[in-house]
Amino acid sequence: MKKRTVVLCSVAAVAAGMVTAVPPATGAPATSYTAPAPYTRAHPPLPWKKCATKNSPTLQCASLKVPLDHQDPGGRQLTIALSRVPHTAKTFQGPLLVNPGGPGGSGLSMAGFVARKLPKKVAAQYDVIGFDPRGVGKSKPALNCRPGHFSPVRPATVPTTPALEHANLDRARKFGQACSSKYGDILPFIDTVSVVQDMDAIRAALGAKRVNYYAYSYGTYLGALYGKLYPHRVRRMALDSLVDPTGIWYDDNLRQDYAFDARHKAFMAWIARHDATYKLGKDPAAVEAKWYAMRDAVTKKPAGKKVGGAELEDTYIPGGYFNGYWPPLAEAFAAYAKGGKTAPLVKAYERFGAVDAAGENSYSVYTAVQCRDAQWPRDWGTWRDDNDAAHAKAPFSTWNNAWYNAPCAFWPTHHLSAPDTANSELPPVLLFQATDDPATPYDGAIALHQKLRGSRLVVEQGGGNHGVTLSGNACLDRHLAAYLANGKAPEGDGEVDAVCDALPDPKPAKAGKGTSGTRRGALSHPWSTMGA
């Protein structure tokens, strides 16, 4: 590490000229938010049309026009794509708006997923409403700033030489420039509060005085801000895998680095426990050393001319989100580490790490939202120092995550000021969190719990997956179903209101469910397996 620190010090002189010149920002300057008025404009009934799928035979779709700038309601309009599974019970509890996370996650298919996974008697009482947030998926316009940005083979993420740091900085700067060139008039309005205002427009278009809300990951931050800006429009709210509202977004991403490293170590320990299958050794530290040796090897000679060090990290980061991916990831690791076989590694990359057009769209919106939402350091030296310190203790994905977010150092719009989510006006909000979730670490859940007065926290003890309800844990799902059925929430006398045991880790012989790939945003959930 001392040698590496010396190398990075020399980078400053090489890269200084490139990183000190920040492009001029456009759009509204940094500002604090004031609560907007709820939507009251009359809206004709939404023109729902059938868009049934095999899994969701009653699914319907519609679209809604919303202002690009909510302070100019008569100006340019965007189109928000909506989906609905309509209620069938005599008892109707209103719309249940759902969001899978992101920023940049498509939510259209989540309506069908939630309607299927909830108990039938509960789901039947709601219109389950999914939507693609502004810029995403079938909403128009959909952003794709720089097609091919993640095409292999990318520069190695760990900047061990000035040339590597320069190459990664150049990619980050070009991404921001491409976004500005293509969407300069839109970027100032791609932010979380604008999405929250879209959500209230959806509520108004549905003809509902109050809305119910259920979301994962980044969607929990959307919910917290909706509750802040429109507290009297909230009927019930259930949030799973909780974003820390005090670290938006630079600090939250640094905290993730340590948590993902710990989760990767848990994966290596799982492989060591199953040495009879993978034959990589019974010592977790020795197994982990072999993984880093694999990263070094593919960095020098990419597997199948496609999987270099950066692509390998992309492939294994999803294992932090969901341990159901561990068996196929372990198989690919073992095949390469023991026999030098590259085909399984390439296949794993194509399943878990490769970015298609939908992923490019998701990343474009992810970056636009996070870079606009809050202040990021504009001095690259700050990024270098912070990530070098994190990498020293958490080398698994720190620099990968840094480069994923690095366009925010050069972003062409001014930043906004994140609203304080402290709230004492909401009905009891039900919160869910796994103790070992790396994408939204546990401390952040406690922070949000304290911000939302009267909220109730259900913890999955020992759980490490991201997004834990409606995923097979009957204990968690009972709390969710009871809350949505009649508003009943557990009430404890301490920091936590209820505890559920985590599900057991997978067995090597059983490949994880939903191995078609993931959306790997820094605060996102791998919902590509959800299906409509």
Side-chain angles (χ1 to χ4, degrees), residues 380-415:
W380 184 252
T382 300
W383 289 70
R384 183 191 301 114
D385 290 345
D386 290 343
N387 284 280
D388 194 30
H391 176 84
K393 296 180 178 180
F396 168 58
S397 62
T398 292
W399 276 106
N400 188 297
N401 196 22
W403 297 123
Y404 199 78
N405 292 280
C408 293
F410 312 99
W411 204 244
T413 63
H414 288 287
H415 70 84

Side-chain angles (χ1 to χ4, degrees), residues 134-160:
R134 54 176 55 203
V136 175
K138 293 186 178 180
S139 291
K140 304 297 180 186
L143 277 56
N144 190 339
C145 293
R146 191 172 183 240
H149 184 70
F150 288 98
S151 296
V153 174
R154 308 198 309 274
T157 62
V158 182
T160 53

Side-chain angles (χ1 to χ4, degrees), residues 254-277:
L254 284 171
R255 291 167 189 159
Q256 278 189 322
D257 297 333
Y258 297 94
F260 267 101
D261 194 82
R263 191 63 179 153
H264 185 64
K265 283 180 167 59
F267 177 30
M268 298 296 101
W270 178 86
I271 293 174
R273 288 197 301 274
H274 295 287
D275 182 57
T277 299

